Amino acid sequence: LAADERTAGSPGKKAEAASINALLIVGMVLGITFIMVLLYKLRCIKVIIAWFVVSALMIFWLLAWVWADLVCTKYQIPYDYLGMGVFLWNFGICGILALFYYAPSKMMQGYLVFLSVIMGWMLTRLPEWSTWAILLAVAVYDICAVLCPGGPLKMLVKESQERNEPIPGFVYDSGDGAIVDT
């Protein structure tokens, strides 16, 4: 985070640091969303899918490694790096196949829940004031992005409806079909 609220003494300084952190996070989300809208308008669907695949891989391998290491350390469960690496490699590949190819719907839903849980867990690692400020800022951003006439998510949905095509992504994929064409 850019501003460290832990070193701030007064509630006003903590709120200021948390607001800076929230604005930076929402700014990054806004920038990435506009890049996604631009890529969708330019019909770069494979780039969007590759972006999602890389993001999911990072969560399945890197964040899951951090989580597994903390759990094993806390409960004094011995493990070796090679074994953990092979396990997380297999877990990640199965997750990518479940999310972006064919898998039973319960398996896909399980991996989507895991992605949500691991991301939520990472947010709990932030300082308290920043967590609440980010939550509030992202909620306001979501409302504006969907409801405002120039909102990026409204633009994305409008473009999708004009083309009569689905929007690629985890949230928008409710069917059992593959996202990646073979």
Side-chain angles (χ1 to χ4, degrees):
L1 296 175
D4 187 13
E5 72 182 56
R6 293 176 188 145
T7 59
S10 69
K13 292 290 185 184
K14 287 183 179 188
E16 180 183 338
S19 298
I20 291 169
N21 292 332
L23 288 174
L24 286 172
I25 296 290
V26 169
M28 288 189 319
V29 170
L30 180 66
I32 290 170
T33 306
F34 273 111
I35 290 171
M36 288 290 176
V37 171
L38 179 65
L39 288 171
Y40 189 76
K41 284 185 177 273
L42 296 174
R43 299 186 184 271
C44 297
I45 303 300
K46 292 190 186 228
V47 175
I48 294 172
I49 291 171
W51 190 324
F52 286 146
V53 168
V54 169
S55 298
L57 283 174
M58 288 174 33
I59 292 170
F60 286 142
W61 290 335
L62 298 177
L63 294 182
W65 185 289
V66 170
W67 180 79
D69 182 59
L70 287 173
V71 168
C72 289
T73 301
K74 180 176 181 170
Y75 295 107
Q76 299 179 352
I77 301 169
Y79 72 92
D80 63 306
Y81 291 117
L82 181 62
M84 183 65 78
V86 169
F87 172 76
L88 289 176
W89 172 265
N90 288 326
F91 181 76
I93 294 298
C94 288
I96 294 303
L97 292 174
L99 295 178
F100 295 101
Y101 201 59
Y102 291 105
S105 62
K106 296 292 183 194
M107 184 176 178
M108 184 172 115
Q109 290 169 357
Y111 274 102
L112 287 171
V113 167
F114 177 80
L115 283 173
S116 300
V117 166
I118 201 84
M119 289 304 298
W121 173 77
M122 287 303 291
L123 288 175
T124 65
R125 310 289 293 170
L126 296 173
E128 183 180 4
W129 285 67
S130 289
T131 301
W132 285 106
I134 290 169
L135 181 64
L136 178 65
V138 168
V140 170
Y141 163 76
D142 274 347
I143 291 169
C144 293
V146 173
L147 299 178
C148 291
L153 295 178
K154 186 167 188 160
M155 292 169 38
L156 190 62
V157 170
K158 183 180 175 187
E159 182 77 19
S160 171
Q161 289 171 344
E162 288 174 1
R163 290 189 200 175
N164 199 22
E165 295 177 357
I167 300 171
F170 302 141
V171 176
Y172 302 104
D173 181 40
S174 60
D176 291 331
I179 297 173
V180 179
D181 294 328
T182 55

